[in-house]
Amino acid sequence: QVQLVESGGGLVQPGGSLRLSCAASGSFFYLNTMGWFRQAPGKERELVATMTSRATTTYADSVKGRFTISRDNAQNTVYLQMNNLKPEDTAVYYCRTVFPSGAQAWGQGTQVTVSS
C-alpha cells in the first residue's frame, strides 16, 4: 500500500505562509486523486483541497484565494501552499490519496498552528 509522508507544518503568525508537502511511495501516484484535509480540536475532519490526476481542483470556500494545491508527478509529491493564514486555519492537516478503484490511504497528519 502507498505510504504518505508529510512535512512543512509548524507555528506561524496570522498573515503568514506555510507550504505543506506530501511525498507518496509507489509507482501509480500519477493516477490518483490527491487531497488535503484538516481537523481542528473538537471539530470534524473537513476537506481543504483536492486535485485529480487530470489537475482538476476543488477548494473549501474558507480557503479559496488563499490556499493552492499542486502536484509534481515526477517526484510523487503533492503540495499545499497556504497564504494569509488565519487563526481558524489551526488544525492537523492530513494528506490523502485515492486510487482509481476508490481505495484510500492517509498520511499521519501534520500540525499547523496560526497564532500570534
Side-chain angles (χ1 to χ4, degrees):
Q1 178 153 316
V2 65
Q3 302 291 316
L4 305 178
V5 180
E6 300 176 340
S7 61
L11 174 65
V12 65
Q13 296 185 30
S17 298
L18 285 173
R19 189 192 194 205
L20 305 183
S21 299
C22 174
S25 65
S27 300
F28 302 100
F29 173 86
Y30 68 97
L31 297 175
N32 292 5
T33 293
M34 304 299 299
W36 291 95
F37 291 70
R38 67 186 182 186
Q39 187 166 22
K43 300 183 67 177
E44 295 183 351
R45 189 174 298 186
E46 65 175 346
L47 184 147
V48 176
T50 66
M51 177 174 280
T52 71
S53 62
R54 297 184 178 181
T56 299
T57 59
T58 62
Y59 294 93
D61 287 342
S62 59
V63 307
K64 287 180 180 177
R66 300 189 297 119
F67 291 11
T68 303
I69 187 171
S70 62
R71 65 194 294 167
D72 184 343
N73 289 336
Q75 298 295 321
N76 284 5
T77 302
V78 63
Y79 304 95
L80 184 68
Q81 179 66 46
M82 304 185 293
N83 297 327
N84 191 24
L85 283 160
K86 303 176 180 180
E88 52 262 43
D89 296 319
T90 296
V92 177
Y93 284 71
Y94 297 90
C95 180
R96 185 192 72 175
T97 187
V98 182
F99 294 87
S101 68
Q104 300 179 2
W106 293 82
Q108 77 286 353
T110 185
Q111 178 70 46
V112 172
T113 301
V114 185
S115 176
S116 59

